[in-house]
Amino acid sequence: MSASLLILIPLLPLAGFLINGLGFPNIPKGAVGIIGTLAVVASFVLSVMTFNAFVAGGSQPFIVPLFDWITVGDLNIPFSFQVDQLSLLMLMIITGVGSLIHIYSIGYMHHDSGFGKFFAYLNLFLFFMLLLVLGSNYVIMFIGWEGVGLCSYLLIGFWNKNTNYNNAARKAFIMNRVGDLGFLLGIFTIIATFGSVEYTEVFSKAAAGFQVGDPVIITITLFLFVGAMGKSAQIPLYTWLPDAMAGPTPVSALIHAATMVTAGIYMVIRSNVLYSLAPSTLEIVGIIGGATALFAASIGILQNDIKKVLAYSTVSQLGYMFMGLGAMAYSASMFHVITHAFFKALLFLGAGSVIHAMSDEQDIRSMGGLRKKLPITFITFFIATWAIAGLPPFAGFFSKDEILAHVFEHNKLLWVIGVLGSVMTSFYMFRLLFLTFFGTFRGTHEQEHHLHESPASMTIPLIVLAVLSALGGFIGVPEALHGTHQLGQFMSPLYDLAKTANPAAFGHTSLSHSEEYLLMGISVAAAAISAIVAFVMYVQKGAVPAPDSEEKSSLQRVVYNKYYVDELYDAVFVKPIKTLSNILYSFGEIAIDLIIGAVVRLVNILAGLLRKTQTGSTGEYVFAMVIGIVVILFWKLLL
């Protein structure tokens, strides 16, 4: 694969952004959609070509230097791309799922007045995400890292005439800045420790010169993980992601499935050498991942907004990925990133199809019986629900159970937490499915009159994602099920240095096939029983969640209000900062006014005095000149 074609992978979406961003509204809507979509589809085609060329060439990673960028003393930061197994997998996810979301957006956003701006922002989002995963060093990664943060702000607050949506966009932006500070401190510490930010140099020096548990490596990995907590929405920096539902539904699909939230997972896997040298950091990663998975899943059980349920589902699934990373199961976590991209994009786009048919209604209590009116949406949504519940043989079963198997070996308590989270996931997802598509319609007569299946531009991406959600897990069939785990074999070279640095952590699994069958059986049985309970409650008994006005039990109220974490943050951080800002503003304004006023009066006084010396009399000017010459002569004589 030539370097020029590789450069086109991120540049094509950037070109789409520039054309649509500068040309709209002069470009017709049809052309806008075609330009924005073709830019990403072409990028996907080039990614596939790069992948094939890489595999055919022996799967050896290589660096593509573009130009010398920053040189300060001994520090040299080139602008270059790194092509290896991890970057290629991310390229395929970003451009492949991104292409389907762009196609879907043509139908979903067709009547929106900001159609051109929307496609421009989507293209820019993908450009920065591609830059993030292609960069050969942490600084280029950081450019993409900040770029996706900017684009999330623009897209979450896309409908900027709504104050609540603007607040959600600001919340996402500010909370990510907290995580980004940790990421920056990690980069600075890497520079101070290794004198470079290039992955190849940093990792080789770390593997050769540092022992397992070195305090410097632990510090670096903790700083980097703070950044990952912000981008990938882990406790305590997770509250921005559910609020990100304020943006158009294709944005939610893009953020949750293919771009922003996967950045933290990517960064940890990319830094596997450093994290393998810091087992104490991995313990923290695993614990926070497990807590997030369980915490978010419990909130999802009582949510009634179709997109909010999916949002908390994403937070929970990201927790599973970090649990896998904590157990040093890097390939398993990447496997779940891939399968999650398929079924989560499908779930959000399916939810968008429902919202589109329901005239923008998002409350599942006002839905019901939609499977007859929206058959394609129902079938594809059902496949995605089955996949995310971890039921065989769809994609989520293989990736989730592989993570749980590694976690079981690493920490039995975390495994129990993972199984409990799986039970909750199955329940709230089937609850969502049954309340939306089964029973009788509970909306208004006008909504029922307008119910219809979405256009082909929206249903075709659903069908493609449904196929991927059903079959995508077969790239990682474990040996216990007579598979070869092609993904694990493909990614194996990424960990050669980590195995050198910490060989004890990369031993073969100690689980026998019978133990793996038992663990699979437990998790599948738990998820299946949970789905059956949801069926009995919401289909056979026809239960419907109570309206918000109805009194709830104390526990239900706490969970329904998301454990009041937002209110806690507001009381502890937001209100005190606002109060201090108002105080400083009041006193600061007074002080500044006094200082500026005093300076102005002094200047006026001095100007008034100096003005009197300008009399216009030639004699006085000559006299002043003579006095000046005399003073200068005396000054010289005295010196």
Side-chain angles (χ1 to χ4, degrees), residues 318-368:
L318 290 167
Y320 275 101
M321 297 171 202
F322 278 107
M323 285 175 67
L325 294 175
M328 227 174 289
Y330 302 117
S331 293
S333 293
M334 188 63 200
F335 188 17
H336 203 53
V337 168
I338 295 170
T339 60
H340 181 264
F342 299 152
F343 57 68
K344 186 49 62 70
L346 177 53
L347 286 167
F348 268 111
L349 297 186
S353 182
V354 170
I355 295 167
H356 178 76
M358 289 287 298
S359 304
D360 296 329
E361 176 63 66
Q362 295 185 197
D363 194 323
I364 57 177
R365 292 172 293 191
S366 299
M367 299 177 187

Side-chain angles (χ1 to χ4, degrees), residues 191-214:
I191 293 172
T193 304
F194 301 104
S196 174
V197 289
E198 285 289 302
Y199 301 141
T200 51
E201 291 185 44
V202 171
F203 300 155
S204 60
K205 289 180 180 178
F210 290 85
Q211 299 296 317
V212 175
D214 190 286

Side-chain angles (χ1 to χ4, degrees), residues 65 146 176 231 247 275 377 390 443 460 609:
E146 291 301 293
N176 272 277
K231 275 291 179 289
Y275 280 91
T377 301
I460 290 174
L609 293 173

Side-chain angles (χ1 to χ4, degrees), residues 297-626:
S298 67
I299 297 174
I301 290 174
L302 293 181
Q303 294 301 303
N304 297 314
D305 184 307
I306 188 170
K307 289 174 67 176
K308 283 288 180 71
V309 176
L310 298 179
Y312 281 104
S313 165
T314 299
V315 177
S316 181
Q317 294 301 306
L318 290 167
Y320 275 101
M321 297 171 202
F322 278 107
M323 285 175 67
L325 294 175
M328 227 174 289
Y330 302 117
S331 293
S333 293
M334 188 63 200
F335 188 17
H336 203 53
V337 168
I338 295 170
T339 60
H340 181 264
F342 299 152
F343 57 68
K344 186 49 62 70
L346 177 53
L347 286 167
F348 268 111
L349 297 186
S353 182
V354 170
I355 295 167
H356 178 76
M358 289 287 298
S359 304
D360 296 329
E361 176 63 66
Q362 295 185 197
D363 194 323
I364 57 177
R365 292 172 293 191
S366 299
M367 299 177 187
L370 298 184
R371 69 185 189 280
K372 297 176 183 177
K373 297 288 187 178
L374 290 75
I376 297 176
T377 301
F378 164 65
I379 294 170
T380 55
F381 201 94
F382 175 80
I383 292 171
T385 302
W386 193 277
I388 195 174
L391 296 171
F394 292 169
F397 161 72
F398 293 101
S399 57
K400 183 205 71 176
D401 273 64
E402 184 177 347
I403 287 176
L404 289 177
H406 284 285
V407 171
F408 180 82
E409 284 189 287
H410 180 71
N411 187 311
K412 303 299 187 290
L413 178 59
L414 279 180
W415 176 80
V416 172
I417 290 173
V419 172
L420 287 175
S422 177
V423 170
M424 293 181 181
T425 300
S426 180
F427 178 80
Y428 67 67
M429 286 307 306
F430 277 100
R431 170 183 179 267
L432 175 63
L433 178 78
F434 296 143
L435 285 172
T436 303
F437 293 100
F438 287 75
T440 57
F441 186 71
R442 298 179 296 274
T444 65
H445 177 72
E446 183 180 353
Q447 287 173 331
E448 187 174 18
H449 178 70
H450 288 94
L451 286 176
H452 60 281
E453 185 59 275
S454 299
S457 63
M458 295 171 64
T459 54
I460 290 174
L462 295 182
I463 294 169
V464 174
L465 287 167
V467 173
L468 293 172
S469 298
L471 303 178
F474 290 100
I475 63 172
V477 178
E479 291 182 7
L481 296 178
H482 308 291
T484 57
H485 208 304
Q486 296 174 350
L487 179 67
Q489 293 179 359
F490 178 70
M491 295 185 67
S492 180
L494 291 169
Y495 317 124
D496 289 342
L497 271 177
K499 292 174 183 176
T500 303
N502 187 5
F506 283 88
H508 293 290
T509 177
S510 59
L511 293 177
S512 65
H513 287 351
S514 59
E515 288 175 317
E516 288 191 51
Y517 294 147
L518 178 61
L519 292 178
M520 289 180 194
I522 292 172
S523 63
V524 170
I529 292 170
S530 193
I532 293 169
V533 170
F535 178 79
V536 171
M537 289 179 62
Y538 298 106
V539 178
Q540 288 189 342
K541 295 184 177 180
V544 177
D548 293 340
S549 57
E550 189 172 311
E551 187 65 25
K552 298 179 176 65
S553 69
S554 298
L555 180 60
Q556 284 180 322
R557 190 164 56 251
V558 169
V559 176
Y560 183 74
N561 288 286
K562 299 159 283 190
Y563 298 98
Y564 296 102
V565 173
D566 281 307
E567 289 78 2
L568 175 65
Y569 286 176
D570 192 57
V572 174
F573 299 108
V574 178
K575 288 182 179 178
I577 290 174
K578 283 186 176 180
T579 302
L580 178 62
S581 300
N582 289 331
I583 292 171
L584 292 174
Y585 168 76
S586 301
F587 285 99
E589 283 293 300
I590 293 172
I592 290 171
D593 287 344
L594 287 173
I595 293 170
I596 292 176
V599 170
V600 170
R601 291 192 63 184
L602 179 62
V603 169
N604 284 334
I605 292 170
L606 292 175
L609 293 173
L610 290 172
R611 187 169 58 245
K612 294 178 180 179
T613 63
Q614 303 297 321
T615 62
S617 171
T618 305
E620 291 180 2
Y621 292 162
V622 171
F623 178 73
M625 186 172 19
V626 171

